[in-house]
C-alpha cells in the first residue's frame, strides 16, 4: 500500500492510522485487491489509499456482526455503558489528533474539526447513560384479564452508511446508540473520508468494544455492496445519513427484506429574520448556521428570508463578516473557511451563483472560484435571490448565503414550507409568541429559535417530509435500534 504523505500529514503520523477493512476484529485487505485514493481537499494531493471491499467482504462483515450479536446483547447494560463511556474519554483525550485528521481529509477548519470531535464524543457519553435506562413498561389490560409487559430488545445487525461532511459525528451518532441498545454493526463510511472512521474503529477496540461488534469497510461501489448487505436476512436495520436521492434508492432496496430504516437526509433550511430581531444576535446566528463546516452541513442555512425593514442592514453586515473570513487550508491555525470537499462541489457552487445572477440576483461579496491548488470557493453573500433560482430549491452545500426579502409572516411561512425538505429552520424575533407560532407552522423536524445551532446529542435530531425518517440522539436515538416486544402475561 502506498502512503503519499505531505509534511502536515507526516506530522499527524498518518502511517499509524489503519487503512484496511476491519472485519471480526481483524484488519484485512479488500478482496478486490484495489486501493482507493484519499485526497487532501486543501491541496488536492493524495494522502492515503484505503482498502476496497468486494461483496464477499461485505457479507463477511455481516457474518462477523451476526456472530458477535448474541454475546454483545447479553452483556450487562452497565458493562456496555462503561465501554461506551471509555470511547468518549479516549476521543476527548485524542481530540487534537482526531481533529487534525478530520481537517486533513475533509478540509474543514481546525476549529470546526475540534468542535466535531467533541460533538461526536458526546454521543458516546450520552448513550453510555441511555444504555442503563432502556426501560419498558407494564400495565393491566383494560379487560382485567392479563398484564401487558413491554420491553425493548436489540433489533439485530445494523448497517450504517455515513456521509463525508462529519466523518466522526455521523458515525458515532449511529454506533453509540446501536451499541447501547445491544446491536452489532457494519459501518460503511463515505469514500472521501474513510481515515477518521478507521482511526475511531481502532479507538473503540482500545476502549474494550469486542471483536465483531463494530465492523468497518470502504468501497468505491457503495450501491452494490450496501444492496448485498440489505438482501442478507441477518441484517435487520439500515441507518443512513446522506442525500435524499440516495436515501430514496436505499428505501427501495430495503423494501425487499423489510429492513427497518432510519434516514437522515438532505435539507434546505430557511433562516428567517423579522424586523424586530436582535440584529447582532441574528448576524452571529447566521454566521454559525451558514458557515459551520464551511456550509457543508445538512443543517446549513440555505435560504435567508429577511423582513424588508432590516434587509439592507442585515445584508451589509453579513457581507462584511463573510467577506472578512480567512480562507485557506483547513488545518492552518487561524483559517476560518477551508476548501470544499472536491472539484465537483466547487463547480456546483459556482454554477449556482451564475444561475442566480442570470435571474437578477446581486453578489455582495465572493462569488468567484478561488484559483489555487485544492478546492476553494469564497464565502459569498448574494441578495435579491428569486424563487426560481436553483439555490432556492437545491441544497447549496457551500459557503453561499442567499438573501430574499419578505413582508408578512404568512408570506414567509408559505415560502419556508415551499420545499420537499423539512430538516431544520431558524427564526429570529424578539417576540416570543410570534417565534413559537412560526416555529409550530414551519414544516421541519427542528427549529433554532434565536439560535444558529441546534445539534445536541441530548435532543432528537431529524427531519420531516423528504429530509428523513426517525430521529438520532436523545432517548429516541436508542429506540431506533430496538424492537418493541409485547408479552401478554397472566399470573
Ligand atoms: P451521499 O448520499 O452521496 O452519500 C452518503 C453515503 O452513501 C456515502 O457513504 C456514500 O458512499 C453512500 N452511497 C452513495 N450512493 C450509494 C448507493 N447507491 N447505495 C448505498 N450507499 C450509497 O451524500 P454525501 O454527498 O456523502 O453527503 C451529503 C448529503 O448528506 C447532503 O444531502 C446532506 O444534507 C446529507 N446529510 C444529512 C444529514 C442529516 O442528519 N440529515 C447529516 C449530514 C449530511
Amino acid at each position: 500500500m502506498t502512503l503519499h504523505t505531505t509534511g502536515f500529514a507526516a506530522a499527524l503520523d498518518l502511517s499509524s492510522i489503519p487503512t484496511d477493512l476491519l472485519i471480526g476484529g481483524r484488519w484485512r485487505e479488500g478482496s478486490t485487491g484495489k486501493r482507493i485514493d484519499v485526497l487532501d481537499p486543501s491541496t488536492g494531493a493524495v494522502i492515503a489509499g484505503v482498502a476496497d471491499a468486494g461483496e464477499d467482504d461485505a457479507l463477511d462483515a455481516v457474518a462477523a456482526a451476526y456472530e458477535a450479536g448474541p454475546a454483545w446483547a447479553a452483556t450487562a447494560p452497565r458493562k456496555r455503558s462503561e465501554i461506551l463511556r471509555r470511547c468518549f474519554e479516549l476521543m476527548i483525550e485524542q481530540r487534537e489528533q482526531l481533529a487534525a485528521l478530520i481537517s486533513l481529509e475533509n478540509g474543514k477548519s481546525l476549529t470546526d474539526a475540534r468542535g466535531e470531535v467533541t460533538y461526536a464524543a458526546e454521543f458516546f457519553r450520552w448513550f453510555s447513560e441511555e444504555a442503563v435506562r432502556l426501560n419498558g413498561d407494564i400495565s393491566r389490560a383494560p379487560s382485567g384479564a392479563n398484564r401487558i409487559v413491554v420491553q425493548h430488545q436489540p433489533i439485530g445487525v445494523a448497517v450504517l452508511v455515513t456521509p463525508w461532511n462529519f466523518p466522526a459525528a455521523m458515525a458515532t451518532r449511529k454506533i453509540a446508540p446501536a451499541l447501547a441498545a445491544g446491536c452489532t454493526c457494519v459501518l460503511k463510511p463515505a469514500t472521501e473520508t474513510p481515515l477518521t472512521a478507521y482511526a475511531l474503529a481502532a479507538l473503540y477496540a482500545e476502549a474494550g468494544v469486542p471483536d465483531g461488534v463494530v465492523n468497518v469497510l470502504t468501497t468505491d461501489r457503495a450501491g452494490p455492496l450496501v444492496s448485498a448487505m440489505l438482501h442478507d436476512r441477518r441484517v435487520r436495520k439500515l441507518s443512513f445519513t446522506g442525500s435524499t436521492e440516495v436515501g430514496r434508492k436505499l428505501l427501495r432496496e430495503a423494501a425487499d427484506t423489510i429492513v427497518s430504516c432510519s434516514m437522515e437526509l438532505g435539507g434546505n433550511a430557511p433562516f428567517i429574520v423579522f424586523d424586530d430581531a436582535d440584529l447582532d444576535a441574528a448576524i452571529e446566528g447566521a454566521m454559525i448556521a451558514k458557515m459551520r463546516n464551511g456550509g457543508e452541513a445538512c443543517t446549513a442555512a440555505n435560504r435567508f428570508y429577511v423582513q424588508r425593514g432590516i434587509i439592507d442592514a442585515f445584508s451589509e453586515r453579513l457581507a462584511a463578516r463573510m467577506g472578512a473570513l480567512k480562507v485557506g487550508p483547513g488545518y492552518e491555525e487561524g483559517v476560518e473557511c477551508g476548501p470544499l470537499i472536491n472539484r465537483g462541489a466547487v463547480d456546483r457552487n459556482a454554477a449556482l451563483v451564475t444561475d442566480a445572477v442570470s435571474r437578477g440576483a446581486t453578489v455582495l461579496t465572493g462569488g468567484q472560484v478561488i484559483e489555487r491548488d485544492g478546492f476553494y470557493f469564497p464565502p459569498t453573500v448574494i441578495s435579491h435571490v428569486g424563487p426560481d433560482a436553483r439555490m432556492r430549491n437545491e441544497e447549496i452545500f457551500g459557503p453561499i448565503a442567499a438573501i430574499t426579502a419578505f413582508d408578512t409572516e404568512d408570506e414567509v411561512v408559505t415560502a419556508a414550507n415551499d420545499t420537499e425538505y423539512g430538516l431544520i429552520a431558524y427564526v429570529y424575533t424578539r417576540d416570543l409568541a410570534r417565534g413559537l407560532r412560526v416555529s409550530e407552522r414551519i414544516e421541519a423536524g427542528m427549529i433554532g429559535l434565536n439560535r444558529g445551532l441546534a445539534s445536541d446529542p441530548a435532543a432528537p435530531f431529524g427531519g420531516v417530509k423528504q429530509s428523513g425518517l426517525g430521529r438520532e440522539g436523545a432517548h429516541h436515538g436508542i429506540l431506533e435500534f430496538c424492537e418493541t416486544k409485547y408479552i401478554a402475561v397472566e399470573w
Side-chain angles (χ1 to χ4, degrees), residues 161-166 170 173 188-192 222-223 226 240-244 246-247 249-250 264-267 297-298 395 397 423 461 467 472:
V161 181
T162 52
W164 48 263
N165 64 339
F166 289 93
M170 295 304 96
R173 201 164 76 175
K188 209 279 318 151
T191 316
E192 294 86 345
V226 173
F240 172 75
T241 298
S243 61
T244 296
V246 173
K249 283 189 198 155
L250 290 177
E264 296 287 348
L265 308 177
C298 53
E395 262 190 305
F397 239 64
L423 188 61
F461 186 105
S467 282
E472 293 192 316

Side-chain angles (χ1 to χ4, degrees), residues 136-151 485-491:
D137 55 56
I138 178 166
S139 60
R140 196 164 169 224
S143 65
N146 61 293
R147 298 294 192 281
I148 294 170
V149 174
V150 177
Q151 64 185 46
K485 168 71 61 73
Y486 151 53
I487 309 173
V489 193
E490 238 180 274
W491 68 69

